[in-house]
Amino acid sequence: MTKLVIQGKNVEITDAIRSYVQEKIERAVSHFAQITSEVDVNLSVARNPRISASQSAEVTVYANGTVIRAEESSENLYASIDRVADKLARKLRKYKERNGIHRVRHTPKTSVAVAQQPITDPLNTERQAELPAEVVRTKYFAMPPMTVQEALHQLELVDHDFYVFRNIENGEINVIYVRNHGGYGLIRPR
């Protein structure tokens, strides 16, 4: 089995929870054990009573230098674990199919993936940007050069709104992101 790390925030990781996570996540990852090196599971419970889906399970899988992430929340921690295991299995299957030996590519051209689209909703110019007073977390990750299309694929795997990468065409650091009005955007330095 791949290295499995389980952490909790506002929740005690009991033997029953640890056993359940191991069973579900091992089942989700078992067909992909040859490509995974580590699986991190973060379980958390929000203490805000207004949040109905307060029990979350977030899983990060490190597979051949790629990060694959899935997160699910519900009113029950065990249900969140079930959901995230299913979501993770789908993402791993998709990753393996795209990177497998018998792959078939049906990807749009780079220019289509990051094409500009007109803004249809008026912009809210009254809103003020607020940054946190301090840096609360620092992350380090490998940044091998890749094409915009490969970065788009990575964006889908990490389940975030953006992905930072080194563009193979020019060596620049770029950011690809999901636009609020649909499509993707690409940020490049001048």
Side-chain angles (χ1 to χ4, degrees), residues 17-29:
I17 291 173
R18 181 176 306 281
S19 176
Y20 195 77
V21 167
Q22 285 176 328
E23 175 190 337
K24 291 294 183 175
I25 300 302
E26 282 180 10
R27 187 177 304 147
V29 178

Side-chain angles (χ1 to χ4, degrees), residues 21-121:
V21 167
Q22 285 176 328
E23 175 190 337
K24 291 294 183 175
I25 300 302
E26 282 180 10
R27 187 177 304 147
V29 178
S30 64
H31 298 295
F32 311 98
Q34 68 278 13
I35 62 170
T36 60
S37 59
E38 182 177 335
V39 178
D40 291 340
V41 179
N42 291 304
L43 306 175
S44 63
V45 176
R47 294 193 172 172
N48 185 342
R50 293 183 181 181
I51 300 174
S52 60
S54 63
Q55 303 196 23
S56 301
E58 178 185 321
V59 180
T60 305
V61 176
Y62 300 93
N64 288 346
T66 299
V67 176
I68 301 168
R69 187 179 162 277
E71 181 176 4
E72 286 292 330
S73 297
S74 70
E75 295 177 3
N76 180 297
L77 189 58
Y78 289 93
S80 297
I81 294 166
D82 288 344
R83 287 179 177 173
V84 81
D86 292 342
K87 188 174 189 179
L88 183 65
R90 285 191 306 273
K91 284 188 169 206
L92 283 166
R93 197 168 28 258
K94 186 175 180 180
Y95 170 76
K96 192 171 181 183
E97 287 170 2
R98 281 195 176 176
N99 297 300
I101 298 170
H102 305 290
R103 67 180 176 190
V104 178
R105 289 197 141 178
H106 297 288
T107 55
K109 292 182 179 177
T110 303
S111 60
V112 174
V114 293
Q116 291 186 356
Q117 296 179 0
I119 297 175
T120 55
D121 294 336

